[in-house]
Amino acid sequence: MSEEKLNFGHVSYEETYPVVSRFSKKLKDGRLIGSKCSKCGKVFLPPRRGCNNCFSTEMEEIEIGTEATMTAFTVIHFAPESFSDKAPYIAAIGKFEEGVSLLAHLVGVTSMPSVGMKMKLVPQEIGKNRIVYKFIKA
Amino acid sequence: MSDDVVIVGAGHSKFGKRKDEGIRELAFEAVQDLLKDFNKGLDDIDASVVGIAGEEFSGQGAPAAVVVDEIGMAGKPTLRVESACATGTAGIKAAYGWIKAGFYDAVMVVGVEKMTSVSSARATELMARAGDVRWESPFGVSFPGYYALMASAHMAQYGTTREMLSSVGVKNHFYGAKNPLAHIQKEVSLEEAMSSIPIAHPLNLYDCSLISDGAAAIVLTKESLAKEFTDTPIKIRGIGSGSDNMMMSERESLTSLRGAKMAAQKAYKMAGITPDQVDVAEVHDCFTIAEIIATEDLGFFEPGEGGKAALDQQTYIGGKIPVNVDGGLKSKGHPLGATGVSQAVELRKQLLGEAKNRQVDGAEIGLSHNVGQTGQFVNVMIYSR
């Protein structure tokens, strides 16, 4: 019997594949896991099953710190149809100390954010089978 | 000497909310316009390339085939291309390759899109899916949202202001008001542009291109055969292309499109020119920040100077480099698959001196910059008399 999947994101546009489900389950435990190619050392966040640099599939798990610096943000006012009831919301890109970045919602801020602000990435469970990460102000 | 590829015919539909026309009627209108001053007939065209970015809008699966039939090219070799919003120039490049390879002597390229048959929220949804659906679209980042992220980074790094962004929209509406084929032929004041409703901060309504219906068509052949088709061929002097990472968060830069810089360098090299030799440019202003970044990536202005140059009207006719003097995607409209071909049609007009009250005097070299998604596809084309 196949393991139960843990979906990622506020909505899903594609199937939840094992590489995503594994990531989601670790996120549920509060761990942010990327992948590092055992052959060339390239680091991927979110994780990938294979390395696009040397095509090795020997990938190690690497834990990424959750403190990030904002490199870009936007406040979405006119949202895609499936997010219409959620607008306005802030989407930001945060860069982690390991040099990799993620895009996520920034929540809990009361004034306009600014590039360079310190943020922390935390998991947010949405119902039983779904999880996402979000930035909060550090 | 090598036989250049030349444009020997061009046509353009009215862009806009065309509620009585689907992709068939729009493509027909563009080809009908092309045939008006064409010395030959359809019999002399050997093959077609059809550019359509998405079938979700029109409802027709494999939509190129209905277009090919409607424009009287059924039975001849054809190919559909898709490179998101860079579909039009991808089509021109494909036809160029066919001719250079010796497959065909004359090829028609038609770019078309029907977008207004779905609601704006639906269209926003469909376009948002052109972001990474596994890791980024699940955060509801609209297409303007992705460019807004770049705008925030450009503002933080270079001090680009909201006023600079708005000034791009004001210019494009100023010229769009003079273009009878434009979707919205209306001037907009800086104050109106700056105070319009927010779409994705820092971008508001007048920073975003239009959701439009429309089509454009050109015919390409070899220079050695050009005289049979027209007395006024336009040469394709350079083509360069590039791409970028899928995820915005993996990009090496958020203030520049590396694919556009690569495409520009390759196109300039192939044409044997430098940026200062370009007389008129059509750039992919899907958003005002995109035009500012484009003018920097193309080497017209230093990185970070594009916003100031726009505010100083350096991109108007009479400025350092006239940009989008047909209204651009902002005012002329942006039917995805048609845009790159429309840029070629406009530049041909400019180079032939037929652009009337928005003519750049004595224009000899024109550049088209066409971007798909948020830089995942880029083509830069250089045309000359």
Side-chain angles (χ1 to χ4, degrees):
Chain A
M1 227 177 86
S2 69
E3 231 183 310
E4 204 181 325
K5 285 175 180 171
L6 183 56
N7 301 303
F8 176 82
H10 292 277
V11 294
S12 292
Y13 296 107
E14 64 165 16
E15 279 288 304
T16 298
Y17 294 102
V19 66
V20 176
S21 194
R22 274 198 300 274
F23 172 84
S24 297
K25 284 173 184 170
K26 280 166 185 148
L27 183 64
K28 196 174 172 180
D29 298 332
R31 299 170 67 211
L32 181 60
I33 302 293
S35 51
K36 182 178 178 181
C37 175
S38 314
K39 221 166 153 187
C40 75
K42 188 168 176 180
V43 174
F44 299 91
L45 182 75
R48 296 193 188 202
R49 196 163 76 168
C51 174
N52 66 4
N53 184 43
C54 66
F55 272 75
S56 165
T57 45
E58 286 170 30
M59 306 291 270
E60 296 165 27
E61 289 188 349
I62 175 172
E63 186 151 358
I64 307 290
T66 54
E67 307 286 324
T69 304
M70 183 195 282
T71 56
F73 79 99
T74 177
V75 187
I76 305 288
H77 291 272
F78 191 84
E81 200 173 37
S82 50
F83 282 80
S84 294
D85 57 341
K86 295 187 174 74
Y89 47 88
I90 301 170
I93 297 177
K95 190 170 189 177
F96 301 93
E97 276 180 19
E98 290 81 356
V100 288
S101 299
L102 282 179
L103 182 150
H105 287 161
L106 169 64
V107 301
V109 291
T110 47
S111 57
M112 191 64 88
S114 59
V115 169
M117 77 178 263
K118 300 295 175 196
M119 307 185 293
K120 186 176 169 57
L121 195 78
V122 296
Q124 176 190 357
E125 290 186 55
I126 304 171
K128 194 167 150 278
N129 299 317
R130 186 168 286 281
I131 194 165
V132 69
Y133 43 62
K134 64 184 176 187
F135 285 118
I136 55 173
K137 202 172 169 185
Chain B
M1 216 183 118
S2 74
D3 206 356
D4 274 335
V5 174
V6 293
I7 301 175
V8 289
H12 203 289
S13 82
K14 168 84 176 68
F15 279 8
K17 192 166 184 168
R18 302 289 307 270
K19 66 180 175 57
D20 295 335
E21 287 81 22
I23 51 172
R24 306 171 200 224
E25 290 79 16
L26 293 165
F28 182 93
E29 191 176 311
V31 174
Q32 189 180 40
D33 183 48
L34 183 154
L35 292 172
K36 272 189 215 157
D37 63 349
F38 195 58
N39 291 347
K40 294 259 192 174
L42 284 181
D43 289 349
D44 303 297
I45 302 170
D46 307 313
S48 64
V49 178
V50 180
I52 302 177
E55 40 268 73
E56 298 88 349
F57 295 109
S58 73
Q60 171 70 54
V66 298
V67 169
V68 168
D69 190 287
E70 195 79 9
I71 62 170
M73 294 292 287
K76 294 177 184 178
T78 188
L79 170 78
R80 178 200 176 178
V81 296
E82 181 274 304
S83 297
C85 315
T87 289
T89 46
I92 299 172
K93 190 176 179 183
Y96 180 98
W98 271 357
I99 292 167
K100 277 284 185 184
F103 279 117
Y104 313 111
D105 285 339
V107 181
M108 183 182 298
V109 182
V110 184
V112 59
E113 210 78 44
K114 173 74 192 180
M115 300 181 73
T116 67
S117 46
V118 300
S119 70
S120 293
R122 183 76 191 147
T124 303
E125 172 92 15
L126 292 172
M127 285 186 281
R129 286 191 201 176
D132 187 300
V133 298
R134 183 176 291 180
W135 299 115
E136 294 193 335
S137 299
F139 291 97
V141 182
S142 61
F143 211 67
Y146 286 109
Y147 273 94
L149 288 164
M150 288 192 251
S152 75
H154 204 275
M155 291 166 105
Q157 187 169 339
Y158 298 118
T160 301
T161 63
R162 276 261 352 115
E163 192 182 20
M164 292 174 189
L165 295 172
S166 292
S167 69
V168 173
V170 170
K171 169 184 65 72
N172 292 349
H173 273 280
F174 175 77
Y175 289 113
K178 300 176 191 300
N179 182 353
L181 298 174
H183 183 161
I184 296 186
Q185 297 163 36
K186 182 174 82 98
E187 288 188 30
V188 173
S189 70
L190 187 61
E191 195 182 24
E192 272 177 281
M194 287 188 71
S195 60
S196 60
I197 57 164
I199 301 294
H201 176 86
L203 304 180
N204 61 27
L205 187 65
Y206 280 107
D207 291 298
C208 302
S209 59
L210 304 169
I211 293 172
S212 315
D213 309 324
I218 58 174
V219 173
L220 302 182
T221 189
K222 299 174 194 173
E223 192 174 17
S224 57
L225 300 173
K227 283 276 176 284
E228 298 175 29
F229 293 87
T230 181
D231 296 330
T232 54
I234 294 297
K235 286 180 200 164
I236 298 180
R237 289 270 303 273
I239 303 178
S241 303
S243 69
D244 211 331
N245 295 67
M246 184 63 204
M247 283 194 294
M248 200 58 103
S249 59
E250 275 202 338
R251 302 279 174 91
E252 63 185 31
S253 170
L254 290 172
T255 56
S256 168
L257 299 182
R258 68 167 167 156
K261 285 197 291 190
M262 177 194 269
Q265 283 162 12
K266 297 277 183 191
Y268 287 135
K269 193 175 175 207
M270 182 174 164
I273 65 158
T274 51
D276 59 309
Q277 288 176 269
V278 176
D279 298 307
V280 54
E282 286 277 294
V283 313
H284 200 89
D285 62 316
C286 47
F287 302 96
T288 51
I289 184 64
E291 178 166 320
I292 288 172
I293 290 174
T295 58
E296 297 170 6
D297 289 343
L298 292 166
F300 299 142
F301 305 108
E302 291 295 314
E305 298 296 316
K308 280 177 223 108
L311 191 61
D312 292 346
Q313 305 203 337
Q314 290 299 312
T315 47
Y316 279 71
I317 293 174
K320 188 178 176 206
I321 173 74
V323 174
N324 290 332
V325 296
D326 61 349
L329 283 57
K330 175 70 205 82
S331 170
K332 182 180 64 176
H334 182 26
L336 312 177
T339 288
V341 184
S342 170
Q343 291 180 331
V345 175
E346 168 65 13
L347 290 172
R348 177 177 176 269
K349 272 184 204 159
Q350 286 285 346
L351 300 176
L352 295 179
E354 295 173 356
K356 297 180 182 157
N357 57 348
R358 48 196 175 77
Q359 177 66 44
V360 176
D361 277 344
E364 287 183 8
I365 296 179
L367 179 146
S368 136
H369 158 280
N370 191 199
V371 176
Q373 296 175 264
T374 49
Q376 288 91 330
F377 302 91
V378 188
N379 296 308
V380 171
M381 321 284 293
I382 295 170
Y383 302 101
S384 79
R385 269 189 274 174

